[in-house]
Amino acid sequence: MLSHHVTHKGEKRHPLWLEITRIVLSIVILWKGLEFVANIHKFTDLMMNSSIPVAIMISVLVHLIIVAHILGAIALFTGTYVRLACVLQMPVIIMALVFKNLADSILNPYAAVWVSVAILFALVLVLLRDKHDAMDKERDKH
């Protein structure tokens, strides 16, 4: 009985290409998060020239982005909460694409549009495939 369960569970693993994509994506997101931390002085300069409410908003946003990237990268790397990690990364990447004019100076980790587009595409791919596999597992239970 136990060996049947282990064999059955092993057959339902994600394809190797998806696992590799997920792991590479996690490394890139961690790298981008660390680049974001390295460029935090640019946000400090921006906050110094802003009103207090705007400065607080920028500070909160920057810290949320850093936490989302680091925790999201860990979740993607380990394969836990993959869908949640993908969903939390998407607004950050979309914001980088929408505010492209800031990317050249402030959002330096996203200066190359193609990097943001590639990350967004990979996030959508991993999210959809993980959701599809979860639905297959649920269907197999019944």
Side-chain angles (χ1 to χ4, degrees):
M1 178 80 169
L2 180 61
S3 65
H4 174 70
H5 177 70
V6 171
T7 304
H8 181 67
K9 185 175 177 125
E11 291 170 358
K12 288 296 179 184
R13 287 186 21 212
H14 298 290
L16 182 60
W17 67 267
L18 182 64
E19 295 295 324
I20 291 170
T21 302
R22 181 181 50 78
I23 291 169
V24 169
L25 179 62
S26 70
I27 292 167
V28 170
I29 288 174
L30 180 62
W31 168 50
K32 291 299 180 183
L34 294 175
E35 270 190 350
F36 215 86
V37 171
N39 290 314
I40 203 159
H41 64 279
K42 293 182 181 182
F43 288 101
T44 305
D45 294 343
L46 181 64
M47 288 172 19
M48 294 294 225
N49 298 323
S50 301
S51 64
I52 291 176
V54 172
I56 291 171
M57 183 186 70
I58 292 170
S59 177
V60 168
L61 187 61
V62 166
H63 286 87
L64 285 174
I65 290 169
I66 291 168
V67 168
H69 272 343
I70 292 172
L71 293 180
I74 292 168
L76 285 168
F77 189 82
T78 60
T80 56
Y81 301 106
V82 171
R83 284 176 274 167
L84 179 62
C86 288
V87 168
L88 292 178
Q89 298 304 310
M90 287 179 187
V92 175
I93 305 303
I94 291 170
M95 184 180 71
L97 288 168
V98 170
F99 295 108
K100 171 61 180 120
N101 56 344
L102 290 177
D104 294 331
S105 58
I106 297 172
L107 300 175
N108 193 28
Y110 300 102
V113 172
W114 66 269
V115 173
S116 296
V117 171
I119 292 171
L120 187 60
F121 176 76
L123 284 169
V124 170
L125 177 71
V126 170
L127 174 70
L128 292 176
R129 185 59 196 238
D130 191 70
K131 185 175 181 178
H132 177 266
D133 289 350
M135 289 181 353
D136 283 349
K137 284 181 187 177
E138 192 63 35
R139 200 173 344 189
D140 287 347
K141 284 182 181 178
H142 295 101

